[in-house]
Amino acid sequence: MDEQNRPIHTFQVCHVMEPNQNNWLRSGWIQRQAAQRVYVELRFTLRDCNSIPWVSGTCKETFNLFYLQTDEPLPGGTRFRPTDYAKVDTIAADESFTQTDLGDRVLRLNTEVREVGPVTKKGFYLAFQDVGACIALVSVKVFYKRCPSTLRNLAAFPDTVPHMDSSSLVEVRGTCVENAEERDTPKLYCGADGDWLVPLGRCICSIGHEETDDHCRACKPGYFKAFAGNTKCSKCPQHSSSHDQAATICHCDKGFYRGIKDPSSMACTRPPSAPRNLISLINDTALFLQWTPPINTGGRSDITYNVLCQRCDGGDVGVSQCEPCEPDLRFIPRPLGITGTSVAILDYAMHTNYTFHVEAVNGVSGLGVAPRSLANVTVNTHQAGPAFVGIVSEDWATHNSIALSWSEVEQPPSDIVDYEVKYYEKEQEQLSYSSTRTKSTRVVVTGLRPSTVYVFHVRARTSAGYTAYSPNFEFATAPEDPDIADQGQVLVVVTASVGGFSLLVILTLFLLITGRCQGYIKARMKSEDKRTRFHSGHVPFSGIKTYVDPDTYEDPTQAVEEFAKEIDPSYICIDRVIGAGEFGEVCSGRLRIPGRKDVAVAIKTLKGGYMEEQRREFLREASIIGQFNNSNIIRLEGVVTKSRPVMIVVEYMENGALDAFLRTREGQFTVLQLIGMLRGIAVGMTYLSDMGYVHRDLAARNILVDENLVCKVSDFGMSRILEDDSESAYTATGGKIPIRWTAPEAIAYGKFSSASDVWSYAIVMWEVMSYGERPYWEMSNQDVILSIEEGYRLPAPIGCPVTLHQLMLHCWQKESSQRPSFNDVVSFLDKLIINPSSMLTLVNDSLSFSDSPEEMPDYPLFISIGDWLDSIKMSQYKSNFLAAGYTTLDSIATMSIEDIKRIGVCLIGHQRRIISSIQSLRLQLHHIHQSGFQV
Ligand code: ADE
C-alpha cells in the first residue's frame, strides 16, 4: 500500500537475517533513443535495521545500481553475469522505513536520481543488487533531458537534446515563424538541464503583419503596416481605407491623394483652393502683387504659390490677344515656389497690360484631374515710373578699385536725387553685396579684391522713387603687386600677434584682478564636453588619467558610448555558460573580429524583461572598466547595446575567480608564486588608486586569474556590486558591506578610500596565503566587528612568511592614514621577491596572536570536540582526537601542526583546516575563560 493506502506493485526483498546476500533484479532492454545523458529516478522504501531486532551484522541499509550497454537486446536465455555490469552507485535512503512505538509501520518513500552512463550504444539494461537490506522498489523512471521546442523572439526552435558534456551548450538556430523575417540570426543555447539560455538575434513581423502571441498575424481590414518590424498594425489614416487583410498601405479615398514623399501614416490630402483677395500695387519702379492664403489648404501645410504672367493687348477687333511676358521680367523673390503671399515685379515695360495668375499649389497638386487653383489680376503700367539706367562702362581698374560711368536716365519723371551702385563678387552670387551712392554718373569703387570679377548694376533715385536697375555688367580688378602683398601680410601678422598677446595679458590681468580665474577655468571645463576631460588627455600631475564617475553624466548611455566600443553581435561566438550573474548568464566564448586574431572572452548578458534602470546599472560596469588600461585590471573588449541581449564582453580569464581557484589547488604553489599573484593585484590597485577610483569590494572572489597565474582586479560597479555581493551584510547605518573585507572606518561611517581598499587588500593577502580560507572562519559578522574593534587581527596563515604577515598587520592599522599606500605595498613585495631569504621565516606551528586585545568580547560558544569537528566537516577524525586523549576544547587549544600530524591527520589540506580552526577557537576560548567558564 502506498502512503495513501492504495495498493501498489513493488519488487521486494528482505533477507535481513541471513548473511552474504547477493540478490539481483534486472530491467528489460531500454532503448537509448536520442539521449546523450541518461537519468534514473528510483522510488523505494528501505527498512531501518535498528527497527528490526536481532539483525545486527547481517542487515544492510543500501543497495547497488548497475547498468550494461548493448546495441541489441540480449538473446532470450542468456545467462545473467553480474561481472558484465558496470556500477552506477550505492543507493541509501534519506528516510527509512521504521516502526512507531505502537508497532504501526510508517511508510517513507525515498526518491533518488542518478545519472547513468555515458551511454553510447543503442540501449542498456539496469540491474539492482541487494546485499541484505529490506527494500521495496516502487518505481524506476528512466529519462533524459531535452530543451523543449519553443518560440522565442518570433523564431521557432526545435526540441533539442543537450550536449553530453554538462558544461557545453548546444547552439540552435531558430527559424522565423510564418510572415516574419530575420533581423539578427535568432539563436538559443540548450543547457545540460534542458533549459534554453542566452537568446540572441530575432525575427520581426513582415509588412502587413503584427506580432500577437509569438506569431505574426495579418493586419485587419481598415489597418495597415508598411514596414517590417515589431510594431502593431496602424489604423488607416484619414481619407484612406484598406478592404483586405494584411494591407501594407491604405488607399486614398476618391479626390484625395498621397504626395510622393508623404509617409504612409499621413492622411490623404487634396490640392488647395485658389488664393484669395489678390491685389496689385504699382509705384514708379515696381509692381507688387499681394494675396491671402486659400480658404482650403487641402489638409496640408506645404502650400506655395506660382505667379504666371501674360501680356495682353487689345486686338483689332477688340478681342485681347495674350502672349507670355518678356523673359527678363524680374520677380522678387522668384516667380515660382513662393512661400509668402506677395511678390514684387521689376523691369516691366511701360504702357502695357499685364495679366498675372497666382496659383496655389501643394504636394498633391497635379496628381488628380482637379482644375488649377488660380486667382487673376490685370495691371496696366501707364502709371509706371522712369526707365532704367542705360549702359554702364568701365573707365579703369587697379588691383583693388574699378572706375565706372553710365549714361543719364532718359525721361526722368522727376528730378534725379542720386544714383545707387550695387556690386558683388560674381563667385559669391549675391550672397553679400555692397552699394555706394553718387550724385554724378561716375564712381570709383574701392576696397575690392585683386583678380576678382565683380557684377555691377546701377539705378537712379528720383523724387518719385527708384528707377529700375540697369542690366548687370561684369568688370574685373587687376592682379596684385607682389611687393605690396608681402608687406601687407607681414603687417597683418605683426598686428595680429601683438594684438593677441595684449589681449591675453589684458584678459589675464582682468581675471586676476576680479578673482575670476578659477571660475573661468571651471566654466571652460564645464562647457567642454565632459568627454574631453578624459579623452583629450586630461592628465593630472601624477601623469595618470583620472577616473570619471559615470553617475556624473546626465545620460549614463553617453558614458557607455564614450568609454566602451560597440561590438557587432555577429562577431561573438558563445561556447558555454560559466556562471550566473545578477543580471543574467555569464558565458565564455570568442570574439572573432574580421581581420583580427580571435580573442577568448567572457560575456556577461543582461536577461530579457529588464527595466531601464537595470540596463543602466548593468552597463555602468562597462563604462567603469572601459576607462582602465592596465595589465592587472580586467580588460573590456566592448559592449553590445544596439541589439538584444545587451552584453558586456571582457577578456577571458582561464582560471576564474581567485578564491575558488586556490581552494582547488591547495598547497600546490610556492610562496614566491603566491607573492607574485599578490604583487599583480597590488599593481592593479596602485593604478586604480592613482586614477582616483576606490573599489570598495576588493576580495579574492573579485580577482580573476588567467592561464599564466596573472591576477586581475574585476567586479567594478561599487555601490551596486556591494548590494549584489553575497558577502555583503547590512550595517547599522543601513548600507550593505562585505564586513570581513572592509576597514572599520568604512563599516562604521562609510568612509571608503584607497586606504580602506588597502585594508581589504591585506585580507586578500591572507586569503591567498591560506589558499582561500574564509577570513575569520565561521565567526559571525558581529563578532568580527567587535574583535577588530578590540584590536584583534587575523593571525598569519600556516606557511606564510612572517614579513608578509607584518605587511598585513601594517595594512590593518586602525588609523587609516598610517596604512601603507598601494605603491608602498608593491615596493615591499618587490623587495621580498628579490631577497627570498626574507621569506624564510615562516609561520609554522606558532600559534601566538599577533595583536592581543585588551578586553575581549563575550563569546557564547560552548561546544564539544565532536561538535567542533562536525562544524569544520572533519568528523572522521573524532576517534583520532579521543584516542590521543584530547577530550576538551581547552586541551586542543595548544595543539601544534606536529600534534595534528601525530594523531593521524595525514592530508595536508585537513591539517590546515584543523589548525586554522584551532587558531580561531583559541580566541573564542580566551573570551570564554575571561567570563569564568570552563569548556
Ligand atoms: N567569470 C566572470 N568573468 C570572467 C572572466 N572574465 N573570465 C573567466 N571567468 C569569468
Side-chain angles (χ1 to χ4, degrees), residues 47 51 97-108:
R47 184 116 175 231
S51 68
F97 188 9
T98 54
Q99 282 185 304
T100 65
D101 291 347
L102 300 172
D104 297 333
R105 295 213 303 191
V106 179
L107 185 78
R108 293 263 168 74

Side-chain angles (χ1 to χ4, degrees), residues 581-592:
E582 144 85 354
F583 294 98
E585 284 94 22
V586 182
C587 306
S588 66
R590 279 148 300 130
L591 184 60
R592 320 190 78 167

Side-chain angles (χ1 to χ4, degrees), residues 219-226 234-244 247-253 257-258 263-268:
C219 300
K220 292 185 290 190
Y223 287 77
F224 79 107
K225 196 175 129 201
S234 310
K235 217 167 178 332
C236 284
Q238 228 187 348
H239 306 301
S240 70
S241 56
S242 65
H243 300 292
D244 297 326
T248 58
I249 194 140
C250 299
H251 297 289
C252 290
D253 299 343
Y257 309 93
R258 188 166 277 128
S264 50
S265 55
M266 186 173 146
C268 293

Side-chain angles (χ1 to χ4, degrees), residues 604 621 624-625 633-634 657 693 695-699 701-704 712-718 721-722 724-725:
K604 294 186 176 188
E621 186 177 12
I624 295 173
I625 312 177
I633 308 285
I634 192 84
Y693 179 82
H695 191 292
R696 295 174 176 225
D697 197 14
L698 184 57
R701 64 184 167 279
N702 292 333
I703 303 292
L704 291 168
K712 306 199 181 193
V713 183
S714 143
D715 273 79
F716 295 88
M718 292 179 317
I721 290 283
L722 296 185
D724 304 337
D725 191 330

Side-chain angles (χ1 to χ4, degrees), residues 578 586 602 604 634 650-653 656 704:
I578 54 175
V586 182
K604 294 186 176 188
I634 192 84
V650 296
E651 66 180 307
Y652 182 62
M653 302 288 284
L704 291 168

Side-chain angles (χ1 to χ4, degrees), residues 294-308:
I295 207 155
N296 183 346
T297 61
R300 309 180 62 94
S301 55
D302 58 351
I303 288 196
T304 58
Y305 303 94
N306 298 330
V307 179
L308 315 168

